Amino acid sequence: MNAGCNKREYLGLEVVFASERIRGLLRQAEQVAATNATVLINGESGTGKEVIARAIHHHSARCSKSWVDINCTALPENLVESELFGYERGAFSGADSSKPGLFELAHEGTLFLDEIGDLDPRMQVKLLRILDGAPYYRLGGVKKVQVDVRLVTATNQDLKTAAEQGKFRVDLYHRLSQVRLFVPPLRERREDISPLATHFIETQRPGLRISHEAVNTLEAYPWPGNVRELRNVMIRAAVFAPGAEITVEDLPEEFGRDTYASSLANLSVLGEAERDAIAQVLVQTGGHQQRAAQTLGISRRTLQRRIKSYGLCVERGVSVRV
């Protein structure tokens, strides 16, 4: 591990850092953990929002109780209510037995809802009532359920703007964001890149080194997929590197272009660098968005939002136009 590098673990997830920004963020997580305030964690996809949520639970008085987490985008729309609030036998076709919801499972502990911005509007109303202390019914139930849950949420969206535009409930936004924490993108904390890269290499091939030139190249890249993308790149490099040291030649093709790395290092507008990186990967995959998302280390939904925001025109099997 590099000098000046720190490594901590929260509920099985590790955070490796050297930057003062992450050190300060973890201090904030520890401070807010001492309260029962709801916390909204903002940050781009792949920055490590979940590990901050786990740090809050780890440092809280609820640390010996349940930790329950779910990604809202992973729940089919017709199952969101039954998964969050539970159901009784016979509530719907296939409900052969009763099942407690995630709120009940997290009773006296912490419930982490990732990608809260994608929660169905109808569920937003019910969530608001529970946060205000109101008991609720399981789906198909006749007995009210009362829970004591610390709620932590995360999103890569701008919920404040979404609320102002009527795309997210304003009252729920204010209820969720009693405390807001922001996880900075990797491009804004480049001192974390080298220790993170070393850490990911060690998980695959202990003792494998990384060259100074390769580190410089990694630090010049904009990392639109953030820490998740860096992890994927380093794992691939560690698996296929032929020698005892990872060089620039062992990195994916786009990292070996000196002119590209140089232009990234000199860009003053990071959004342009991110757009170019996404466009380049889309060209390499022939416009195949699923493969492009996997290469970038981000979800397909996030990629689609970036394509729209940057005005990229993508046609499957052909080039990408701006």
Side-chain angles (χ1 to χ4, degrees):
M1 196 65 65
N2 297 358
C5 175
N6 295 271
K7 181 177 177 181
R8 300 178 191 174
E9 182 177 323
Y10 302 106
L11 304 179
L13 283 187
E14 294 177 324
V15 55
V16 177
F17 62 97
S19 67
E20 183 55 40
R21 293 191 70 176
I22 296 301
R23 183 177 290 105
L25 179 60
L26 291 174
R27 283 197 298 264
Q28 289 181 322
E30 187 171 353
Q31 288 176 311
V32 73
T35 74
N36 274 317
T38 54
V39 183
L40 175 63
I41 305 172
N42 280 104
E44 295 178 7
S45 179
T47 52
K49 297 185 291 295
E50 183 176 345
V51 74
I52 301 303
R54 290 178 180 238
I56 292 172
H57 179 75
H58 173 86
H59 289 294
S60 74
R62 299 173 182 260
C63 63
S64 62
K65 303 297 183 178
S66 298
W67 160 266
V68 178
D69 59 88
I70 188 69
N71 188 311
C72 294
T73 61
L75 294 174
E77 189 171 334
N78 62 324
L79 295 180
V80 172
E81 183 172 11
S82 61
E83 287 297 316
L84 289 179
F85 309 114
Y87 57 83
E88 298 293 347
R89 180 180 178 181
F92 52 84
S93 178
D96 299 325
S97 60
S98 299
K99 179 183 176 181
L102 297 180
F103 272 94
E104 287 178 79
L105 295 177
H107 180 58
E108 296 186 336
T110 303
L111 175 60
F112 174 56
L113 298 181
D114 199 4
E115 302 300 349
I116 187 68
D118 292 307
L119 190 65
D120 176 77
R122 187 169 60 91
M123 291 300 98
Q124 292 180 27
V125 176
K126 196 162 185 178
L127 178 58
L128 180 62
R129 286 181 51 81
I130 294 175
L131 288 174
D132 286 337
Y136 63 91
Y137 293 102
R138 286 183 181 178
L139 198 62
V142 295
K143 182 180 179 181
K144 285 189 174 182
V145 178
Q146 182 83 50
V147 293
D148 170 22
V149 171
R150 167 71 173 279
L151 187 67
V152 179
T153 60
T155 181
N156 57 20
Q157 301 179 38
D158 183 348
L159 279 195
K160 185 175 186 295
T161 299
E164 292 170 349
Q165 295 175 347
K167 299 177 181 178
F168 194 85
R169 289 188 64 94
V170 175
D171 46 5
L172 180 58
Y173 165 72
H174 288 300
R175 189 65 179 80
L176 294 175
S177 59
Q178 290 179 340
V179 175
R180 290 181 60 189
L181 299 179
F182 175 70
V183 185
L186 192 55
R187 62 179 177 272
E188 292 182 8
R189 47 186 176 99
R190 295 184 183 274
E191 58 269 46
D192 289 336
I193 292 175
S194 178
L196 278 167
T198 301
H199 169 69
F200 294 138
I201 292 169
E202 290 176 347
T203 64
Q204 297 300 310
R205 286 176 58 183
L208 183 65
R209 301 186 303 274
I210 181 169
S211 72
H212 183 67
E213 181 184 9
V215 170
N216 288 341
T217 302
L218 294 174
E219 290 179 346
Y221 184 70
W223 298 108
N226 293 292
V227 177
R228 185 182 296 122
E229 182 186 6
L230 175 61
R231 180 190 63 202
N232 294 342
V233 168
M234 299 319 301
I235 289 176
R236 286 196 298 269
V239 168
F240 294 111
E245 182 178 70
I246 290 178
T247 66
V248 175
E249 287 70 29
D250 298 316
L251 300 176
E253 182 181 347
E254 62 267 25
F255 290 91
R257 301 178 181 178
D258 293 338
T259 54
Y260 181 65
S262 177
S263 65
L264 288 180
N266 292 317
L267 278 172
S268 58
V269 182
L270 291 172
E272 183 177 349
E274 184 180 68
R275 183 199 64 187
D276 291 345
I278 291 173
Q280 184 179 23
V281 172
L282 285 167
V283 169
Q284 292 171 352
T285 60
H288 193 293
Q289 294 185 23
Q290 185 60 43
R291 289 206 303 266
Q294 291 172 349
T295 300
L296 291 166
I298 60 179
S299 69
R300 183 173 181 177
R301 182 176 295 187
T302 297
L303 176 63
Q304 290 171 336
R305 281 199 292 263
R306 302 285 172 81
I307 289 172
K308 183 177 180 180
S309 65
Y310 289 132
L312 297 174
C313 180
V314 183
E315 295 181 18
R316 181 74 174 272
V318 297
S319 61
V320 179
R321 301 191 303 277
V322 178

